[in-house]
Amino acid sequence: MKQIVNYFPKTDTDNSVTITTTTADTIFKTDNLKSIKPSKVWKSTDITETIVKYDFGVDVTYNAMFLNRFNFAKFYVETSTDDSTWTLVEEVSNLTTDEISDENYMHRFVDITGTYRYIRVRIPAQTPLFEPTYFKIGNMLVGDAITIWNPRSGFSVTQIPKLALLEFKSGHISVEKVGKTRRSFSGSFDKLKKEEFDKIIKTYNPFVIYQEFDNDKTSCYLVRVTKEFVKDYYQANTLNMSFSFEEIV
């Protein structure tokens, strides 16, 4: 499993990165990409070739990108040091919505190598998989992915629908969907040395987890911690650590 804690943009007022887009809706504007809220999306005004570009102002070596809440099946990730010559990082195509298909969830992890100042997502002309008149992105986070060891047997991913339930005297139950389904991740890291336990970044701020053991780069999620971190001693210098993360939707 990998974790992206150090990412940009961090906040709505983060000036460490300048974001430009080919087009932007007047309400779902380019600056929405600075918000950590996935629902606060950027949208284009058409579905011709569109570019979303980040300028860090200086050369950087961040090794990962997390794309969340987008609606297109194909895109290119490219880097540049001069905003002129571009290097292809990855071509992504044939994407589909994930297993919570009725929510129109789409997310993708991209490995990045090398030094660059600019990074962009280039979206070729296509018909989006849903919301077909524009392209959109909820989160485009660039940062450092760190391996935090794989969880032991018992790691679970629970899908939690947000429902309003009303039970009548007749026994009939009325069910109404009132929000988005989210995932809850729970388990433990087993038998870690203390120096390994200390390397795991424990935070209550949002971060990205990537289940690279699935061999599927769509197994990446924006989450936050929902319970305390527990240091459970297996032996004097060997620890277990339980965790619970909840997806931010």
Side-chain angles (χ1 to χ4, degrees), residues 24-29 43 45:
D25 184 270
T26 55
I27 297 175
F28 301 98
K29 52 191 178 179
K43 294 180 181 179
T45 59

Side-chain angles (χ1 to χ4, degrees), residues 20-184:
T20 56
T21 57
T22 304
T23 65
D25 184 270
T26 55
I27 297 175
F28 301 98
K29 52 191 178 179
T30 302
D31 273 355
N32 283 4
L33 290 169
K34 290 189 175 184
S35 173
I36 198 65
K37 299 175 183 177
S39 58
K40 195 174 179 180
V41 302
W42 156 82
K43 294 180 181 179
S44 68
T45 59
D46 58 48
I47 53 174
T48 59
E49 181 173 87
T50 298
I51 291 173
V52 179
K53 183 176 66 177
Y54 282 17
D55 174 6
F56 289 98
V58 296
D59 287 349
V60 296
T61 57
Y62 302 128
N63 65 16
M65 173 187 285
F66 170 67
L67 276 184
N68 193 27
R69 295 291 176 162
F70 59 95
N71 65 340
F72 40 90
K74 182 173 183 176
F75 63 92
Y76 303 89
V77 177
E78 300 166 325
T79 58
S80 175
T81 57
D82 59 7
D83 200 19
S84 177
T85 302
W86 292 88
T87 299
L88 178 64
V89 173
E90 187 172 358
E91 176 184 343
V92 181
S93 59
N94 300 319
L95 289 177
T96 60
T97 55
D98 79 0
E99 69 270 16
I100 310 180
S101 57
D102 61 336
E103 298 282 7
N104 293 330
Y105 282 15
M106 293 182 72
H107 26 80
R108 184 62 157 70
F109 184 92
V110 178
D111 288 297
I112 308 169
T113 59
T115 299
Y116 54 93
R117 172 176 166 174
Y118 305 89
I119 187 166
R120 70 185 188 183
V121 170
R122 180 164 57 88
I123 310 163
Q126 62 191 284
T127 300
L129 294 174
F130 51 92
E131 300 173 33
T133 59
Y134 50 77
F135 301 126
K136 74 172 187 176
I137 299 175
N139 300 109
M140 179 174 159
L141 305 179
V142 180
D144 288 316
I146 301 170
T147 299
I148 57 171
W149 296 275
N150 291 338
R152 69 178 181 182
S153 176
F155 171 62
S156 64
V157 181
T158 305
Q159 296 177 11
I160 306 171
K162 192 171 183 182
L163 305 173
L165 302 176
L166 179 62
E167 185 171 358
F168 296 87
K169 289 184 178 180
S170 65
H172 173 72
I173 297 177
S174 173
V175 179
E176 181 181 357
K177 197 170 188 302
V178 295
K180 293 184 178 298
T181 300
R182 67 189 187 280
R183 297 173 179 84
S184 178

